[in-house]
Amino acid sequence: MSDDNTLPLTAETANAIVNALGALVFATVRQLPADKQAAFANDLARLAKNEERQGQTATETILLDMHRAAVAAAS
């Protein structure tokens, strides 16, 4: 195994990062009590809305993906 663990930033690696973050959110939410799961998902939606207001479409989109992962974990 190589000691060089850096990857070039491409569409593929960016998607992998978003997918990994979604998995992390999913696993985290599953560990929370039900009332905290909903709060976590709502916070992500609120953060996405703030990014939308600021015109930060890329961040908004990623936060919405994380929100969907949190909702999926809570159901």
Side-chain angles (χ1 to χ4, degrees), residues 2-58:
S2 170
D3 287 336
D4 182 14
N5 58 3
T6 59
L7 296 171
L9 186 56
T10 64
E12 182 181 6
T13 56
N15 284 332
I17 291 167
V18 171
N19 290 339
L21 286 171
L24 182 59
V25 166
F26 186 93
T28 299
V29 170
R30 300 254 311 145
Q31 300 304 310
L32 299 174
D35 63 319
K36 302 293 184 198
Q37 291 177 351
F40 194 106
N42 289 339
D43 284 347
L44 289 169
R46 194 173 303 112
L47 290 166
K49 190 66 173 169
N50 288 339
E51 292 300 311
E52 177 189 32
R53 276 191 223 108
Q54 295 175 18
Q56 300 296 325
T57 308

